[in-house]
Amino acid sequence: MALFPLSSNFEGDFVLQLLPVDTENTMDEVAAVAAHHSVGRRVKARPGQILRVRKQGSVDFLPRNMKVADAGFKPTETIEIIWEAPEN
């Protein structure tokens, strides 16, 4: 367990946020930390949608249960937090 800094580029937000996350946090937990800083402040909530994480510039989302320590992030690397509609 170690504190790890990431930059969050949250969909619909115009502010990049520095996120203090833990190396043991999952991508779902990282998305929740990012949402805390954006949703309800500059971004409207989207009930029923899931937040997904990907490296900036990538088209592929990281697995939701992947841990920060396993993602290969560099300190202060920018990640994108994107809304995803649930599959029905």
Side-chain angles (χ1 to χ4, degrees):
M1 296 176 110
L3 195 59
F4 194 87
L6 292 171
S7 294
S8 167
N9 183 2
F10 198 98
E11 182 179 11
D13 201 345
F14 63 90
V15 177
L16 289 178
Q17 295 286 327
L18 184 61
L19 300 180
V21 297
D22 192 277
T23 54
E24 292 300 307
N25 285 145
T26 65
M27 292 304 117
D28 276 355
E29 292 169 328
V30 170
V33 171
H36 172 77
H37 294 286
S38 295
V39 176
R41 298 170 195 263
R42 293 169 302 280
V43 177
K44 287 185 179 183
R46 296 187 189 178
Q49 292 197 8
I50 300 165
L51 290 171
R52 298 298 306 271
V53 177
R54 66 184 180 198
K55 290 184 177 187
Q56 183 158 319
S58 177
V59 295
D60 298 323
F61 293 118
L62 297 168
R64 294 175 63 196
N65 62 351
M66 177 181 274
K67 294 188 178 194
V68 170
D70 300 326
F73 294 134
K74 296 177 181 141
T76 69
E77 183 170 0
T78 301
I79 57 171
E80 296 174 337
I81 313 300
I82 307 294
W83 298 99
E84 181 180 60
E87 295 178 16
N88 287 335

